[in-house]
Amino acid sequence: MDLQAPGRSLPSAKPALGSKTYEVDDFAAAQELYHANGWTDGLPIVPPTQAAVEACLDWGLMPPDQLVAIEPVREQPITAEKLAVNAVMAGCLPMHFPVVVTAWQAMMQPEFLLHGVTSSTGGCAVLVIINGPIRTEIGANAAFNALGNSDRATAVIGRALRLALINLLDVRPGGIDRSTLGHPGKFSYCLAEDEEGTGWQPLSIVRGIPEGASAVTVMAAMAPRQVMNEWTTDPREILETFAAEMRANQLNYSIYGGNYVIVIPKQLREHIERAGWSKRDIAEFLYERARVRRADWAEVGKQSIVRDRASRIHPALTSPDDLLVVAAGGPAGGFGAVIAPWMGSKTRAVTAAIGVCVDCEPPKTREPRP
């Protein structure tokens, strides 16, 4: 069995693969080779044979040496071949590869602040949200267990990003990755929006991607915080539960405002939609309700930093545009989730179209429609 090395190499001028090749006797030997070299996330990998890597590149219509992006701090080039190797290792099929590539292009935008996101002690992970027709093409499940092991596509796409971070940018625990705790999303953190199960606009359209185009949104995100409210049908009361969790994050983690994601499954979503509330209405409500006084920090053991600013108000969202509302989750249960940002507005969520040129510009964060 001949395997391709997942780590860094100079781009090749030839169409052939430029990665170093290793010969191993069998599947078990491949696992030990990759674990011994620190090329995995601790879980078994799919051996990245030449045929499997080339299949991903062919599906993406990309030559091996195509430059996908350049990491802005260390100026490290990221080539299609190396992303394909790590995607195969994660378990990706060729049809998953365009999502991986686009997510990487989005992560490399300056406003995402990839180096800070991946080296901080704060322990965030890269959350990927998939929109558009590609969700159904790859079999991404937006219903049951949407933030867990819901399907093959979201599991392997999220994992591919982490493996590539490890092998291409040396984002290893104790090395560049200085996370004190981290969270399980650092194995894989990817979900699809339930566009068919809601009358709301998909997140990608809200963020400026044309209707009908597939897209990914990436965000430096903390672990999901589950909430529940089964005792009301009033949108304000339902959303007040989400606001309370956002305020709790401000008190217990970071007071500073930035992008938040809220995931609203069908049972709660139907009450909110039936009352005529749009995603914009939700964002404006939570912008007003999810905020704390600096004095409130004294109640959670942080009196020393209140000082003479006790009356200052800190909103969780710097504007309603900061909120990413995602329709996803199983059909029953009055549950939802709040996903908080890493370090407020130091990093911004980025949305990018998959496989199309939108205004012929690099992927970037786009202003939501009114």
Side-chain angles (χ1 to χ4, degrees):
M1 184 185 295
D2 292 337
L3 307 179
Q4 306 301 308
R8 292 175 288 176
S9 66
L10 294 176
S12 171
K14 303 176 182 179
L17 299 184
S19 299
K20 184 177 180 179
T21 299
Y22 294 84
E23 294 185 7
V24 296
D25 293 334
D26 53 25
F27 180 84
Q31 304 308 311
E32 294 310 312
L33 171 68
Y34 278 66
H35 280 286
N37 283 283
W39 293 339
T40 83
D41 52 6
L43 296 176
I45 56 94
V46 175
T49 62
Q50 179 174 337
V53 172
E54 289 178 340
C56 282
L57 294 170
D58 290 346
W59 190 282
L61 303 176
M62 305 177 78
D65 60 356
Q66 181 168 327
L67 187 64
V68 173
I70 298 178
E71 193 277 329
V73 173
R74 288 170 289 164
E75 299 183 344
Q76 174 63 42
I78 305 297
T79 65
E81 175 180 339
K82 289 304 183 182
L83 286 184
V85 171
N86 285 277
V88 171
M89 289 170 58
C92 287
L93 298 175
M95 67 176 67
H96 304 143
F97 189 55
V99 183
V100 174
V101 170
T102 307
W104 261 88
Q105 291 172 330
M107 287 160 52
M108 289 295 193
Q109 297 309 301
E111 60 265 40
F112 188 76
L113 194 66
L114 181 64
H115 182 70
V117 166
T118 55
S119 62
S120 169
T121 57
C124 67
V126 179
L127 171 65
V128 181
I129 304 167
I130 306 175
N131 282 108
I134 200 165
R135 297 167 303 111
T136 56
E137 294 168 11
I138 64 178
N141 171 37
F144 291 106
N145 212 33
L147 283 169
N149 56 325
S150 60
D151 61 272
R152 179 182 191 175
T154 57
V156 299
I157 289 169
R159 189 187 183 203
L161 301 191
R162 178 56 49 180
L163 286 177
L165 285 170
I166 291 170
N167 292 314
L168 303 186
L169 297 180
D170 296 323
V171 180
R172 292 178 170 85
I176 288 177
D177 184 347
R178 307 300 294 179
S179 298
T180 304
L181 291 173
H183 67 80
K186 297 185 82 168
F187 280 105
S188 180
Y189 208 5
C190 180
L191 78 154
E193 185 160 26
D194 183 10
E195 297 180 18
E196 292 75 23
T198 179
W200 290 335
Q201 284 189 321
L203 176 66
S204 57
I205 293 178
V206 171
R207 292 178 60 80
I209 300 298
E211 185 175 357
S214 295
V216 294
T217 298
V218 295
M219 176 181 144
M222 305 309 293
R225 302 158 69 101
Q226 188 161 302
V227 300
M228 181 180 73
N229 189 339
E230 294 188 321
W231 297 276
T232 182
T233 61
D234 185 334
R236 291 172 181 80
E237 293 181 347
I238 293 169
L239 293 172
E240 190 61 47
T241 303
F242 286 86
E245 191 61 50
M246 294 167 71
R247 292 192 295 267
N249 179 73
Q250 288 186 275
L251 296 177
N252 301 329
Y253 180 70
S254 173
I255 203 168
Y256 299 107
N259 290 120
Y260 276 75
V261 173
I262 64 166
V263 183
I264 309 180
K266 195 171 184 63
Q267 182 169 313
L268 295 184
R269 193 165 71 234
E270 286 182 338
H271 299 317
I272 300 170
E273 287 194 68
R274 193 175 296 119
W277 285 50
S278 66
K279 285 186 175 182
R280 183 67 186 187
D281 296 327
I282 293 169
E284 290 178 351
F285 179 86
L286 290 177
Y287 171 68
E288 295 295 337
R289 296 298 303 151
R291 50 183 63 201
V292 298
R293 293 183 310 121
R294 197 172 184 91
D296 296 337
W297 268 28
E299 299 176 10
V300 292
K302 302 178 182 181
Q303 171 66 49
S304 62
I305 61 172
V306 173
R307 296 190 291 275
D308 60 347
R309 292 172 284 176
S311 61
R312 181 175 295 182
I313 302 298
H314 294 265
L317 307 167
T318 58
S319 84
D321 296 340
D322 281 353
L323 187 68
L324 282 59
V325 181
V326 179
F335 302 101
V338 171
I339 302 175
W342 167 78
M343 288 303 291
S345 61
K346 288 183 178 294
T347 174
R348 309 298 298 179
V350 179
T351 299
I354 300 173
V356 297
C357 174
V358 178
D359 299 332
C360 295
E361 298 175 350
K364 65 179 183 179
T365 302
R366 298 176 177 276
E367 291 299 320
R369 295 179 178 180

